[in-house]
Amino acid sequence: MELYLIRHTAPDVPNGTCYGRTDVPLTPSYRTDTARVVSKLGIRPDKLYSSPSSRCSILAESISESFEIKLEYSDLLMELDFGSWEGKLWSEIPESESRFWTDNFVEAETPEGESYKQLFDRVSVFLENNLDLSSDEKIGIVTHGGVIRSIFCKYLDLPLDKGFRFESNYGSISKLKLERNGTEFFSKLIFWNL
């Protein structure tokens, strides 16, 4: 199986804004950016999944139309829920309030939100329910940076706190090759952040 992880194009938010579940708009250049990603993809996925956030769905719908393939949405592919921090500038969140999370973002939940481990767990449920690792399918997933990094951690067997070593630029594509042969599982990162 080939897994193509596609990050949405650039959002139109002030630098330093904390957003995850918030449905933010895309930059005015989104049509050009979207066309560039579709062209860069270069393969017709057998299946296409997307986060329902508009910053993902716009790109996913363009891929779906360009390659004439069905698109399925899943809330399990949503970005981290930052809870009461959503929409605030990081500089507006007092360090006394955020330190517990920045010191242990894997296990600590944001106020009224979730931890990175919770994001990883729900993304894992999606993957386990929708991917057949013994198939030869090409699967496209349009989603968010945190979700992409959690998928890297799952299939490359990395601790969750190491996933942020992988840069995930807006409009980037990363490819994983996943294989199951009997009880043996093999994964290989072919390219990332293309």
Side-chain angles (χ1 to χ4, degrees):
M1 166 176 288
E2 294 177 357
L3 188 57
Y4 293 83
L5 305 173
I6 307 157
R7 189 172 184 197
H8 61 80
T9 59
D12 192 10
V13 295
N15 284 340
T17 301
C18 176
Y19 65 94
R21 291 292 178 99
T22 301
D23 202 14
V24 296
L26 295 171
T27 60
S29 65
Y30 78 88
R31 285 185 181 89
T32 302
D33 298 339
T34 296
R36 187 172 30 252
V37 175
V38 172
S39 173
K40 191 169 48 171
L41 183 58
I43 59 101
R44 181 188 187 278
D46 297 303
K47 293 181 182 171
L48 183 63
Y49 300 98
S50 179
S51 160
S53 295
S54 66
R55 61 189 186 267
C56 293
S57 66
I58 289 169
L59 176 56
E61 288 169 11
S62 182
I63 294 170
S64 174
E65 291 169 10
S66 296
F67 293 103
E68 297 180 345
I69 56 173
K70 182 181 173 189
L71 169 60
E72 294 181 45
Y73 292 103
S74 175
D75 289 343
L76 299 173
L77 295 172
M78 296 282 287
E79 183 59 284
L80 185 81
D81 184 350
F82 285 101
S84 63
W85 296 348
E86 290 277 347
K88 293 182 181 178
L89 292 175
W90 283 103
S91 59
E92 294 174 342
I93 302 168
E95 186 178 342
S96 59
E97 184 181 331
S98 65
R99 179 169 291 277
F100 79 94
W101 183 76
T102 56
D103 286 348
N104 184 18
F105 69 93
V106 171
E107 299 292 339
E109 296 175 17
T110 58
E112 300 173 38
E114 66 183 338
S115 71
Y116 194 61
K117 173 73 167 67
Q118 289 170 318
L119 176 146
F120 175 83
D121 289 344
R122 69 176 155 78
V123 170
S124 292
V125 168
F126 169 83
L127 297 169
E128 289 159 12
N129 289 338
N130 291 283
L131 302 188
D132 176 3
L133 302 184
S134 61
S135 79
D136 291 330
E137 292 178 311
K138 294 174 177 69
I139 307 296
I141 298 177
V142 182
T143 189
H144 310 271
V147 173
I148 291 170
R149 291 179 181 105
S150 74
I151 294 171
F152 283 160
C153 289
K154 179 173 181 66
Y155 289 128
L156 299 176
D157 199 26
L158 297 171
L160 289 179
D161 64 334
K162 304 301 184 206
F164 285 83
R165 292 180 177 176
F166 293 96
E167 190 62 37
S168 181
N169 295 335
Y170 297 120
S172 66
I173 302 171
S174 299
K175 177 182 174 183
L176 286 168
K177 177 93 172 151
L178 308 172
E179 298 177 16
R180 176 170 281 146
N181 185 358
T183 60
E184 297 291 315
F185 171 74
F186 306 93
S187 62
K188 181 177 182 181
L189 181 60
I190 306 299
F191 58 78
W192 62 282
N193 215 25
L194 176 67

